[in-house]
Amino acid sequence: MRLTIGIILVVLLMTSRVNSYVGITYGRQQSQQLVPSMVVDMLLQNKISAVRFMTSASDIIQNFAATNISTTIRLTNRMTNNINKKHLALAWLNEKIKVPANKGVKIVGLAVGAEPFSNTFLKNIPKFDAVASISLMREVLDEMDFRHVITTTAHGMDVFNVSKVPSETGFRDDVKGVMLKLLEFYNKTGAPFVVNMFPLHIVRDVLNCPIEFTFFDNMSNLTITDGNATYTNAVELIYDSVVSAITNAGYSTMKIVIGEIGWPTDGYPYANIKNAERFYKGLLKFIASEKGTPLRPGPIDIYLHGLSDENKFGRMYGAFQRHWGIYEADGNPKYKIDFTLQDRDEYPYKAKGIVSMPRRWCVFNGDTSNLELVRKNFNFACGITDCTPLEEGGSCGGLSEESKFSYAFNGCYQRQRQVKQACDFDGLGIITTENPSQDKCEFVVEVLALEDHLTANTEILLKV
């Protein structure tokens, strides 16, 4: 469902009330990365007991020592092609798993790449020999006496030929052979089958069903019947499509984990805060019920996608990829959600200790005498900052042209830590203390990021 470049964090939220667990991914491809100790505090306050990084996270993982938070690290798709020999795998695992484990970090899993066979949104991500890579890492981990560290990889729904009825779903012909080999490996090692889901995309662009079918409180009249099973929402239908495919492959009891599931708040049709909150409310109530699906009654383990927005995520993979966050990049929650599965109508705990930059913005000065120059600077700014909300259907898509210029100028200015020169734009920018935000379109003021704290940037600190 999404590219795993950069550091992504997956969090399992365990509760004593149910056997299901709910996880959340956390990508760190942001211009303002939160200080790791603040993130740890936020996770602990939200009673989050496990973290899964989608890279080795070697720059921050030490912050999780002595916290009893379970961690999973990732060997990225690109790195799998470099770590292709036993001695290289041993060196990497010693550094990325053994060293932090000896310092008190609780490492329980290794994700070897993700979605290696995508042919949709992530079709251009680095490919790798999934069977060889995961087998190599498993072999070396066993020799290191790290047998408790689970090795697996995640697959998008695009490895299947998805049908409106689960019983007709199977693996794509071009990947069926390698998927059967991976299923054999998962079965042999006790690893789960991890699948990433984007229900909105499946319903809208694959099944061509009404959008209401994505919600558990489906207000349409659509139901889908498959034999004795009746489906009133997409999540159960998609999940049972996976169940059907791996059962037909001979693995009827293999555990399935939903590795990513969520609702973006921008950059895609129907992607907004209201729909995201509604979707999660129904999803978590369903997970808490433990009723399961028609083909798999019982608890379901999921990872919500994701913890915070990533404004540096590759634009080529879809504008929505930057807007999965339940939290804004500054650690403030976008909407109400109850991670504890108790269906409480409240916002989650937000990051504490966040220091914002001064409340000032860079805007277009209104000089349209040379529109070619204005648009040149607009394009320049959008090459530095995230302008996906300005696209048609985006949260800022309804702005006037001049306001769109201001949005881009401000984003670039904030990205460069409010340095005065960053608001020049050939004399077209002007700094203001009047908030230019409009309706649902927010002109951000960034926070002091991880790198600011690490370098103790005196100029910025003095201005705060």
Side-chain angles (χ1 to χ4, degrees):
M1 171 171 60
R2 66 162 284 169
L3 176 65
T4 50
I5 305 174
I7 298 180
I8 302 175
L9 169 81
V10 172
V11 182
L12 311 178
L13 310 175
M14 307 299 294
T15 76
S16 58
R17 298 177 59 255
V18 295
N19 292 323
S20 301
Y21 69 73
V22 178
I24 189 167
T25 66
Y26 174 32
R28 297 176 66 232
Q29 294 188 75
Q30 302 135 340
S31 59
Q32 47 181 39
Q33 294 182 8
L34 296 175
V35 177
S37 60
M38 296 177 183
V39 175
V40 170
D41 178 64
M42 182 170 65
L43 302 181
L44 291 173
Q45 293 296 332
N46 278 311
K47 303 189 186 308
I48 296 169
S49 63
V51 174
R52 183 176 176 180
F53 301 98
M54 297 299 184
T55 69
S56 64
S58 57
D59 61 329
I60 65 172
I61 197 169
Q62 66 272 11
N63 291 274
F64 292 83
T67 63
N68 202 36
I69 294 177
S70 298
T71 63
T72 296
I73 67 170
R74 165 154 289 170
L75 176 66
T76 63
N77 288 33
R78 192 178 304 277
M79 283 298 297
T80 57
N81 292 313
N82 298 328
I83 311 298
N84 56 8
K85 302 292 184 181
K86 192 171 183 179
H87 71 281
L88 296 174
L90 178 61
W92 191 89
L93 290 169
N94 266 316
E95 179 184 353
K96 308 302 184 182
I97 289 186
K98 187 174 183 178
V99 170
N102 288 342
K103 293 181 178 180
V105 180
K106 186 179 179 182
I107 299 179
V108 299
L110 171 65
V112 182
E115 299 199 32
F117 312 117
S118 176
N119 67 356
T120 55
F121 298 117
L122 307 183
K123 61 184 178 182
N124 293 320
I125 63 173
K127 305 301 180 185
F128 63 96
D129 187 333
V131 176
S133 294
I134 199 169
S135 299
L136 173 63
M137 302 309 282
R138 179 71 271 158
E139 178 186 357
V140 177
L141 281 169
D142 287 345
E143 292 179 1
M144 294 172 60
D145 201 24
F146 277 86
R147 294 176 178 83
H148 65 283
V149 176
I150 298 297
T151 52
T152 187
T153 192
H155 304 281
M157 283 301 298
D158 52 7
V159 299
F160 303 101
N161 294 312
V162 179
S163 169
K164 283 190 176 181
V165 290
S167 61
E168 295 180 3
T169 297
F171 291 106
R172 286 180 1 225
D173 289 342
D174 61 318
V175 299
K176 185 174 182 179
V178 68
M179 289 305 301
L180 290 177
K181 292 180 180 179
L182 284 170
L183 286 172
E184 182 181 3
F185 172 85
Y186 300 149
N187 185 62
K188 178 181 178 181
T189 61
F193 185 89
V194 181
V195 61
N196 296 340
M197 297 182 183
F198 183 9
L200 176 56
H201 163 65
I202 296 294
V203 169
R204 178 179 179 270
D205 301 321
V206 179
L207 301 179
N208 297 312
C209 291
I211 298 302
E212 279 294 317
F213 194 62
T214 57
F215 299 105
F216 283 83
D217 59 342
N218 176 7
M219 295 181 185
S220 74
N221 295 320
L222 176 63
T223 60
I224 294 177
T225 301
D226 185 13
N228 295 324
T230 299
Y231 299 92
T232 60
N233 65 83
V235 173
E236 292 185 71
L237 184 145
I238 297 170
Y239 188 89
D240 274 359
S241 296
V242 179
V243 173
S244 179
I246 66 174
T247 296
N248 291 337
Y251 300 96
S252 61
T253 61
M254 180 173 290
K255 182 178 179 63
I256 297 171
V257 173
I258 301 178
E260 296 178 9
I261 185 170
W263 195 288
T265 55
D266 216 334
Y268 200 85
Y270 305 98
N272 56 57
I273 288 174
K274 181 179 179 181
N275 283 342
E277 181 174 308
R278 179 186 172 195
F279 174 75
Y280 277 128
K281 185 175 180 64
L283 173 66
L284 295 182
K285 186 180 292 186
F286 166 72
I287 294 299
S289 75
E290 290 196 278
K291 74 172 187 177
T293 65
L295 296 186
R296 277 280 182 93
I300 296 177
D301 299 334
I302 67 172
Y303 302 83
L304 306 184
H305 189 58
L307 186 63
S308 62
D309 283 347
E310 298 177 83
N311 61 1
K312 294 177 69 175
F313 198 90
R315 175 66 180 80
M316 64 184 292
Y317 303 106
F320 66 93
Q321 303 280 19
R322 296 181 172 185
H323 305 285
W324 286 110
I326 294 173
Y327 286 81
E328 302 283 2
D330 62 4
N332 285 302
K334 296 179 184 178
Y335 44 81
K336 295 177 181 178
I337 185 172
D338 184 8
F339 294 128
T340 67
L341 305 183
Q342 299 178 56
D343 197 29
R344 296 176 299 182
D345 186 36
E346 59 185 42
Y347 288 92
Y349 184 92
K350 67 179 182 179
K352 297 296 185 182
I354 300 300
V355 179
S356 294
M357 293 188 195
R359 289 183 59 79
R360 57 186 175 220
W361 297 261
C362 175
V363 297
F364 173 51
N365 66 9
D367 181 1
T368 58
S369 59
N370 188 343
L371 275 177
E372 182 179 353
L373 181 63
V374 176
R375 292 186 175 121
K376 175 184 176 182
N377 279 278
F378 170 79
N379 291 332
F380 169 78
C382 286
I384 294 177
T385 191
D386 177 26
C387 287
T388 57
L390 298 177
E391 297 178 7
E392 184 178 358
S395 60
C396 301
L399 294 179
S400 66
E401 185 175 40
E402 289 192 8
S403 292
K404 287 182 178 180
F405 296 155
S406 290
Y407 184 93
F409 286 7
N410 181 65
C412 183
Y413 171 68
Q414 300 292 340
R415 177 72 70 86
Q416 297 182 73
R417 301 295 184 262
Q418 296 188 355
V419 175
K420 182 179 180 180
Q421 295 87 337
C423 189
D424 180 60
F425 299 106
D426 290 320
L428 295 168
I430 184 172
I431 296 173
T432 179
T433 57
E434 183 176 344
N435 190 343
S437 299
Q438 301 178 34
D439 298 324
K440 296 180 180 179
C441 180
E442 180 184 4
F443 285 56
V444 300
V445 171
E446 292 204 355
V447 300
L448 288 183
L450 171 59
E451 55 268 33
D452 298 319
H453 288 264
L454 292 177
T455 59
N457 188 307
T458 303
E459 180 181 8
I460 293 178
L461 290 176
L462 287 175
K463 291 178 180 178
V464 173

